[in-house]
């Protein structure tokens, strides 16, 4: 009984010590990415993640490496991003600020995209309505063709119907 309590206490102490070692604050990287740049990087990576397979295929055909595109656009490497991300993830308030800005920016982009989509749909509908309206005008061959051509067409139709 005493041995069991001793083993349980020892296990708890070892687990607490192990957790404390893992929760050690990471060192601030020498080339820490600024919060603003982290926001931009995360927005770009989310947008690429949202791209459908057709868009990703087009990007690949254009020679864009989706896995490294964001890093190359922001002149960073994956290690710099990983270290900066780890540092900010440990500092939860800063990380939360970053992700709040990312979420707000993505929401704003979504609203702008929907407005643009609605505008394009409205313009397309207007063009289709204009196209249909031009077809329904009372433009007939009688108003467009000269009188002698209409007589020839009428004669052709009459001769075909007589046969």
């Amino acid at each position: 009984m005493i041995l069991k309590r001793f083993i349980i206490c020892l296990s708890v102490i070892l687990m607490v010590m192990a957790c404390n070692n893992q929760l050690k604050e990471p060192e601030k990287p020498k080339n820490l990415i600024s919060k603003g740049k982290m926001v931009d990087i995360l927005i770009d990576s989310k947008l690429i993640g949202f791209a459908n397979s057709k868009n990703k295929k087009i990007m690949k055909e254009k020679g864009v490496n989706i896995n490294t595109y964001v890093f190359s656009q922001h002149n960073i490497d994956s290690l710099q991003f990983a270290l900066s991300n780890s540092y900010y993830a440990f500092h939860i308030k800063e990380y939360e600020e970053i992700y709040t800005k990312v979420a707000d920016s993505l929401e704003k982009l979504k609203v702008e995209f929907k407005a643009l989509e609605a505008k394009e749909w409205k313009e397309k509908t207007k063009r289709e309505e204009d196209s249909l309206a031009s077809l329904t005008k009372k433009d007939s061959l009688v108003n467009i063709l000269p009188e002698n051509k209409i007589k020839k067409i009428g004669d052709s139709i009459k001769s075909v119907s007589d046969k």
Side-chain angles (χ1 to χ4, degrees):
M1 181 89 159
I2 295 175
L3 184 60
K4 279 186 178 180
R5 284 187 185 179
F6 176 74
I7 292 174
I8 290 173
C9 286
L10 183 62
S11 298
V12 170
I13 291 171
L14 289 174
M15 284 180 15
V16 169
M17 288 175 61
C19 289
N20 281 340
N21 287 339
Q22 290 179 352
L23 295 178
K24 204 180 226 184
E25 180 178 353
E27 289 183 33
K28 185 174 182 177
K30 291 177 184 175
N31 55 356
L32 180 69
I33 299 169
S34 70
K35 288 182 196 177
K37 193 168 184 177
M38 280 294 285
V39 169
D40 294 339
I41 292 167
L42 291 170
I43 289 171
D44 288 348
S45 64
K46 292 286 184 189
L47 290 175
I48 286 183
F50 292 152
N52 62 29
S53 59
K54 181 180 177 185
N55 291 336
K56 287 179 181 177
K57 183 179 178 187
I58 291 170
M59 285 189 274
K60 284 181 183 178
E61 288 172 356
K62 298 284 184 183
V64 175
N65 184 344
I66 295 170
N67 299 323
T68 61
Y69 176 76
V70 174
F71 298 140
S72 64
Q73 287 296 331
H74 294 280
N75 297 319
I76 61 170
D77 58 38
S78 58
L79 179 61
Q80 182 183 5
F81 176 77
L83 292 174
S84 296
N85 194 50
S86 175
Y87 178 80
Y88 286 124
F90 186 82
H91 298 89
I92 295 182
K93 289 199 185 263
E94 292 181 47
Y95 210 51
E96 188 176 3
E97 288 174 22
I98 290 170
Y99 267 90
T100 299
K101 288 178 183 177
V102 169
D104 291 347
S105 296
L106 289 173
E107 187 60 35
K108 189 186 284 186
L109 284 172
K110 181 180 172 183
V111 168
E112 290 173 9
F113 177 75
K114 286 191 178 218
L116 181 63
E117 205 173 41
K119 182 181 174 187
E120 288 176 354
W121 181 82
K122 190 176 180 181
E123 288 173 357
K124 179 183 175 192
T125 304
K126 175 86 170 110
R127 282 193 307 268
E128 288 173 354
E129 287 173 357
D130 291 347
S131 176
L132 288 174
S134 70
L135 289 176
T136 58
K137 286 183 181 176
K138 305 242 177 191
D139 287 339
S140 67
L141 290 177
V142 174
N143 295 333
I144 297 171
L145 296 175
E147 205 171 311
N148 61 347
K149 291 229 181 207
I150 295 172
K151 184 171 178 6
K152 285 182 182 177
I153 292 171
D155 292 344
S156 298
I157 293 171
K158 190 174 185 184
S159 67
V160 170
S161 63
D162 289 341
K163 292 182 182 180

